[in-house]
């Protein structure tokens, strides 16, 4: 279930701290003595109360969104759509405009350099109220320009730190794509940008709950409901099943950046788009295109098929497919991990758990002279993060022919019900008092130092098989003992 809480890290350093051995003495040895090699599980229960198990129950994974290719977008609430506007647009911002990400879309060209009725992203600008402004531009010669607070900077190191924001640079395996990861220190926001010779692909990650329902722009409102993601700048909500044409003109174009809110230092080189009419996904009609060629290149990836059908540019289509596959992997990686709560060992009994993930199970049993009460002897971890039944309790067995059971039968057959109940209670209390066992004295072999526990010593001796195996002698081990194990 994720282990138990520790006081020291294995690399802890400082005054009177020794890497690993401080952790070994204060965290590992107590667990071994109380739980791993103790015959009395009450010691383990006490240990677990002082060092409770750690789980990922409270962890909330980040939420991804994307804007890639001939822009295909997936909102923060997992709604997919395509938008082919020309100009600068608000990709996302919070309602107070303290965090803003903007993208620049330009008309794309096919392999012959002819303009097509579709767009790709060519630049990105973003900032928060506590950070420097970052701008990324794809230049006409295929290079990348980075601007910080409107000044061009040369990114040489793998990681560069600026005011309130960190920028990491890496190159893809084929060296045709450069990735920039932008992480804001004081906001729950990071943005990953893949820059190729043709376009920018953008991946956004938001974590935590502070921005739930507080986001606006092309990436939706981040409230967990994909039915109301298409909120216009004027707070009108388009139906989630709107056509691409309606989404283009009635939703996407409303998020075009106004002159006074632009983060871009460089003016856009918007093509002559007076007669520009984007090709919508459901309206593609290209009789000259051999669709078998599209299938051979893209398989069943709809976004890749669209990009190749519209632009005729194989590199754009391949880049889109690769980025969307990467995005799907990230979506899978950040799914919330479901774990069931830690199961305590019942007093006067024990339990065996195969794990704490969905589908794992646990079995309970009681020691001799005790029997299970309440709960169940076998439980399974369900998809809702709860066990199929509660943990049982081990209670002392009552022998059927004991004085208590005989008295119950005798009195139950009489007419004095009230008197019988009183007598039963008195007799039960007397018998239980007689049966109460004195609390056993601690077994020195169990509660003594771990290095005197025979089970532990037997396992420790196996470490030397095949050759000498020694570790530094901890301070609490008698220097006159166990020379075979310590130096």
């Amino acid at each position: 279930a994720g282990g138990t809480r520790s006081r020291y890290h294995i690399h802890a350093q400082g005054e009177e701290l020794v890497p690993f051995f401080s952790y070994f003495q204060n965290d590992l040895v107590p667990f071994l003595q109380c739980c791993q090699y103790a015959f009395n599980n009450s010691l383990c229960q006490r240990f677990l109360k002082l060092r409770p198990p750690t789980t990922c129950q409270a962890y909330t994974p980040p939420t991804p969104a994307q804007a890639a290719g001939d822009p295909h977008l997936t909102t923060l609430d997992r709604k997919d759509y395509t938008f082919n506007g020309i100009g600068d647009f608000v990709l996302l911002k919070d309602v107070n405009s303290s965090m803003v990400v903007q993208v620049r879309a330009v008309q794309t060209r096919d392999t012959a350099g002819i303009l097509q009725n579709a767009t790709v992203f060519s630049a990105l600008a973003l900032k928060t109220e506590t950070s420097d402004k970052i701008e990324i531009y794809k230049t006409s010669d295929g290079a990348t320009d980075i601007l910080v607070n409107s000044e061009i900077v040369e990114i040489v190191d793998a990681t560069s730190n600026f005011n309130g924001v960190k920028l990491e640079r890496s190159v893809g395996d084929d060296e045709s794509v450069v990735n920039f990861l932008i992480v804001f220190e004081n906001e729950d926001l990071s943005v990953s940008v893949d820059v190729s010779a043709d376009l920018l692909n953008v991946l956004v990650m938001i974590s935590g709950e502070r921005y739930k329902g507080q986001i606006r722009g092309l990436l939706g409102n981040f409230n967990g409901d994909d039915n109301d993601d298409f909120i216009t700048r004027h707070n009108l909500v388009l139906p989630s099943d709107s056509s691409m044409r309606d989404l283009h003109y009635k939703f996407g174009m409303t998020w075009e950046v106004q002159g006074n809110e632009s983060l871009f230092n460089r003016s856009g080189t918007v093509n002559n788009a007076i007669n520009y009419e984007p090709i919508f996904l459901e309206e593609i009609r290209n009789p000259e295109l051999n669709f078998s060629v599209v299938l051979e290149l893209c398989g069943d990836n709809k976004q890749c098929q669209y990009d190749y059908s519209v632009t005729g540019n194989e590199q754009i289509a391949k880049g889109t497919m690769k980025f969307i596959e990467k995005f799907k992997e990230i979506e899978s990686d950040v799914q919330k991990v479901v774990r069931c709560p830690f199961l305590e060992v019942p007093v006067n009994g024990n339990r065996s758990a195969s794990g704490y993930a969905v589908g794992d199970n646990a079995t309970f049993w009681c020691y001799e002279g005790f029997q299970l009460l309440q709960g169940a002897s076998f439980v399974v971890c369900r998809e809702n993060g709860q066990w199929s039944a509660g943990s049982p309790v081990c209670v002392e067995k009552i022998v059927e022919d004991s004085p208590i059971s005989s008295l119950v039968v005798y009195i139950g057959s009489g007419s004095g019900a009230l008197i019988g109940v009183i007598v039963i209670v008195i007799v039960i209390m007397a018998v239980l008092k007689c049966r109460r066992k004195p609390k056993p004295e601690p077994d020195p072999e169990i509660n003594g130092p771990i290095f005197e526990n025979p089970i532990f010593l037997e396992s420790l001796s196996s470490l030397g098989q095949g050759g000498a195996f020694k570790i530094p002698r901890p301070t609490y081990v008698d220097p006159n003992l166990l020379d075979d194990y310590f130096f």
Side-chain angles (χ1 to χ4, degrees):
T4 57
R5 296 181 186 176
S6 299
R7 294 183 60 197
Y8 295 93
H9 189 271
I10 60 173
H11 299 300
Q13 299 186 44
E15 187 176 355
E16 298 182 355
L17 294 181
V18 180
F20 182 79
F21 285 104
S22 297
Y23 163 76
F24 181 79
Q25 176 176 347
N26 293 279
D27 298 315
L28 184 56
V29 169
F31 173 76
L32 292 174
Q33 177 152 339
C34 295
C35 295
Q36 193 73 20
Y37 298 104
F39 299 104
N40 183 355
N41 63 25
S42 64
L43 293 176
C44 193
Q45 292 303 304
R46 184 178 179 187
F47 174 84
L48 293 175
K49 289 187 180 301
L50 297 174
R51 300 289 187 88
T54 56
T55 70
C56 52
Q57 292 295 105
Y59 174 68
T60 301
T63 301
Q66 71 162 358
D70 179 7
H72 308 290
L73 297 97
T74 301
T75 69
L76 291 162
D77 292 330
R78 305 295 198 275
K79 187 67 177 179
D80 297 322
Y81 73 102
T82 298
F83 172 64
N84 276 283
I86 291 181
D88 298 341
F89 297 91
V90 176
L91 188 64
L92 71 84
K93 71 181 188 73
D94 69 319
V95 292
N96 299 316
S97 297
S98 59
M99 174 182 69
V100 182
V101 181
Q102 297 176 356
V103 288
R104 173 166 293 168
V106 297
Q107 202 166 353
T108 188
R109 299 175 182 271
D110 62 14
T111 52
I114 300 174
L115 291 172
Q116 302 297 307
N117 286 349
T119 58
V120 293
F121 293 140
S122 65
L124 174 88
L126 61 169
K127 87 175 296 292
T128 70
E129 61 182 1
T130 61
S131 76
D132 289 336
K133 180 178 69 172
I134 305 292
E135 298 171 71
I136 299 178
Y137 295 90
K138 180 188 74 65
T139 62
S140 57
D141 59 358
T144 306
D145 284 348
I146 305 294
L147 276 65
V148 177
N149 293 333
S150 302
E151 298 291 333
I152 192 167
V153 296
E154 184 177 358
I155 304 298
V156 178
D157 299 328
T159 301
S160 301
N161 292 294
F162 303 101
N163 182 36
V165 60
K166 179 173 69 175
L167 191 149
E168 297 181 3
R169 179 184 183 275
S170 61
V171 180
D173 295 336
D174 58 1
E175 298 186 355
S176 63
V177 176
V178 180
N179 174 265
F180 295 94
L181 176 62
I182 305 160
V183 181
F184 292 94
E185 295 178 357
N186 299 320
E187 309 292 339
D188 300 323
L189 171 71
S190 65
V191 179
S192 177
V193 186
D194 282 359
V195 184
S196 67
D198 299 294
L199 75 167
L200 270 63
N201 288 326
V202 183
L203 187 150
V204 174
M205 299 276 276
I206 293 182
S207 59
E209 300 292 323
R210 62 189 292 193
Y211 291 117
K212 285 287 187 180
Q214 303 298 305
I215 299 297
R216 297 293 184 270
L218 297 180
L219 293 183
N221 63 354
F222 190 41
N223 68 347
D225 182 3
D226 66 357
N227 290 313
D228 61 358
D229 269 352
F230 302 131
I231 301 180
T232 71
R233 184 185 287 268
H234 309 295
N235 289 322
L236 299 177
V237 181
L238 268 68
S240 61
D241 59 353
S242 297
S243 67
M244 291 295 104
R245 180 177 291 274
D246 283 347
L247 290 179
H248 179 90
Y249 291 108
K250 298 179 180 180
F251 166 67
M253 292 305 297
T254 69
W255 287 110
E256 188 170 9
V257 172
Q258 307 301 310
N260 60 346
E261 64 180 8
S262 178
L263 297 180
F264 290 102
N265 181 64
R266 296 180 178 178
S267 60
T269 55
V270 178
N271 302 301
N272 185 6
I274 297 176
N275 298 318
Y276 171 77
E277 174 75 10
I279 298 176
F280 301 107
L281 186 61
E282 62 264 37
E283 299 176 6
I284 292 181
R285 300 288 186 274
N286 192 345
E288 299 179 0
L289 185 66
N290 185 345
F291 197 68
S292 62
V293 176
V294 179
L295 289 176
E296 183 179 354
L297 176 69
C298 300
D300 59 356
N301 188 298
K302 299 298 183 184
Q303 294 88 346
C304 174
Q305 293 175 7
Y306 174 84
D307 287 1
Y308 191 60
S309 300
V310 172
T311 68
N313 191 319
E314 181 177 319
Q315 294 305 313
I316 290 179
K318 282 185 174 180
T320 297
M321 181 168 62
K322 186 175 181 179
F323 190 82
I324 288 176
E325 288 174 351
K326 171 184 173 181
F327 177 74
K328 288 181 178 179
E329 289 179 2
I330 292 175
E331 275 190 313
S332 176
D333 289 342
V334 300
Q335 289 298 311
K336 185 173 178 60
V337 177
V338 178
R339 290 287 186 272
C340 284
F342 180 78
L343 291 170
E344 292 192 0
V345 177
V347 178
N348 299 316
N350 211 331
R351 64 112 174 93
S352 174
S354 64
Y356 291 83
V358 175
D360 286 337
N361 59 73
T363 302
F364 296 88
W365 66 93
C366 297
Y367 293 146
E368 185 177 357
F370 295 87
Q371 62 185 10
L372 289 173
L373 185 68
Q374 304 174 354
S377 61
F378 183 81
V379 295
V380 178
C381 180
R382 293 176 171 173
E383 293 183 355
N384 62 358
Q386 299 298 322
W387 294 100
S388 56
S391 300
V393 176
C394 291
V395 297
E396 191 171 4
K397 289 183 178 179
I398 298 178
V399 183
E400 292 185 359
D401 59 354
S402 67
I404 296 177
S405 58
S406 300
L407 187 60
V408 170
V409 174
Y410 171 77
I411 295 179
S413 62
S415 57
L418 179 60
I419 298 176
V421 171
I422 297 174
V423 172
I424 289 175
V425 173
I426 295 174
V427 173
I428 289 176
M429 292 178 62
V431 172
L432 290 179
K433 184 175 181 180
C434 293
R435 287 189 173 186
R436 186 174 299 163
K437 299 178 181 178
K439 187 175 181 180
E441 293 295 325
D443 187 339
E445 292 187 358
I446 296 176
N447 298 324
I450 185 65
F451 290 101
E452 296 177 11
N453 186 297
I455 299 178
F456 177 73
L457 292 179
E458 181 181 351
S459 66
L460 191 63
S461 63
S462 65
L463 296 176
Q465 294 177 357
F469 183 92
K470 294 187 177 184
I471 60 176
R473 182 184 298 275
T475 57
Y476 48 80
V477 176
D478 190 327
N480 298 316
L481 295 176
L482 308 169
D483 288 336
D484 292 337
Y485 307 127
F486 304 105
F487 57 81

